[in-house]
Amino acid sequence: PSGMLSLGRPIRRVVTGLVFFAATCAAGVVGYRVAGWSAMDALYMVIITIFGVAYGEVNAVDSAALRGFERALQLQPGFVRALDNAALS
């Protein structure tokens, strides 16, 4: 029984990470959709922005607001990692 209890924290951390990842992807898609992109272009852009694949944009990122949105999307994983590290302290 004590072994089962010790799995609770790692499982919670994985679930929390997945929730933040899904929320980041959803927010990213919504942001690009608001900018007028198709759903598939928005999803593609979120994937290459988060994972840094660097295949190139499918549409021009030509406004300061859209460039700022991209930077925020890129920084989000580091922000979540910082929150996680603070929670462990």
Side-chain angles (χ1 to χ4, degrees):
S2 64
M4 293 296 287
L5 292 176
S6 65
L7 286 178
R9 186 170 173 103
I11 290 172
R12 272 195 310 266
R13 290 183 69 198
V14 168
V15 169
T16 301
L18 290 173
V19 167
F20 273 106
F21 178 73
T24 299
C25 290
V29 168
V30 168
Y32 286 115
R33 294 285 289 151
V34 167
W37 295 25
S38 73
M40 287 306 293
D41 285 352
L43 181 60
Y44 173 79
M45 202 53 193
V46 167
I47 291 170
I48 68 169
T49 299
I50 290 175
F51 292 105
V53 177
Y55 287 117
E57 290 83 12
V58 293
N59 292 311
V61 179
D62 54 2
S63 72
L66 198 51
R67 282 192 300 275
F69 175 74
E70 249 188 357
R71 296 310 166 259
L73 192 59
Q74 291 167 341
L75 293 174
Q76 192 278 336
F79 176 71
V80 171
R81 187 172 302 123
L83 287 177
D84 187 43
N85 287 340
L88 293 175
S89 299

